[in-house]
Amino acid sequence: MNVTNAVFPGAEQAAAFFGGAEDGPFVMVNLLKFKERADYPDGSEPDLTGREAYGRYGAAVQACLAAVGGKSLYAGTVTDLMLGEADELWDMVALAQYPSRAAMMTMVQSHEYQAIEKHRIAGLAGQLNIRTKAIGG
């Protein structure tokens, strides 16, 4: 299994995701890997860790989720692996529920989201976003 963390989807990947059939609510599983040090383009916050920068994003994104009818379901630090093998574990897992693909698109295009995304970018080395649907949903 080949796994590649990324901070942004490629144009084709984003178009395929947001252009997919609208089929209602889903939960996004976010597997997060942080930079050792935050990396803001303007050089600010040189003593901040990547986890701390992402924490600023995580706190602020709650209002963005709520504005489109979504919500944060869970966030936790990855501590160890019980089954399987991985060269390197992710640092954190977060689950966010969205009412639709359109709602997620509205959120990421909003001025409020754009204003806080700098913390996400500064803190993340990469991530996987896995869209899930409830069984029978």
Side-chain angles (χ1 to χ4, degrees):
M1 176 185 296
N2 181 29
V3 176
T4 303
N5 289 321
V7 177
F8 292 104
E12 286 182 24
Q13 193 174 33
F17 178 84
F18 287 111
E22 191 61 77
D23 58 356
F26 65 93
V27 172
M28 187 68 79
V29 177
N30 299 274
L31 302 176
L32 309 163
K33 189 70 178 165
F34 301 121
K35 295 174 185 170
E36 186 174 326
R37 289 271 155 229
D39 183 18
Y40 287 93
D42 64 1
S44 65
E45 307 285 357
D47 295 327
L48 207 63
T49 67
R51 182 183 294 273
E52 290 167 333
Y54 189 86
R56 291 178 176 181
Y57 165 82
V61 79
Q62 303 304 314
C64 296
L65 281 164
V68 297
K71 62 183 173 180
S72 175
L73 300 177
Y74 174 82
T77 299
V78 173
T79 59
D80 51 291
L81 185 64
M82 188 209 118
L83 181 65
E85 293 182 31
D87 291 338
E88 189 175 0
L89 294 178
W90 287 271
D91 296 319
M92 184 176 172
V93 174
L95 305 176
Q97 184 174 12
Y98 296 89
S100 65
R101 292 176 196 256
M104 184 180 184
M105 175 64 90
T106 296
M107 183 188 85
V108 300
Q109 290 179 332
S110 73
H111 174 73
E112 293 78 13
Y113 183 85
Q114 297 292 318
I116 65 167
E117 191 176 34
K118 66 183 178 184
H119 302 300
R120 177 184 166 277
I121 296 166
L124 275 181
Q127 72 183 96
L128 293 182
N129 290 148
I130 304 168
R131 181 177 181 268
T132 68
K133 293 287 293 175
I135 295 174

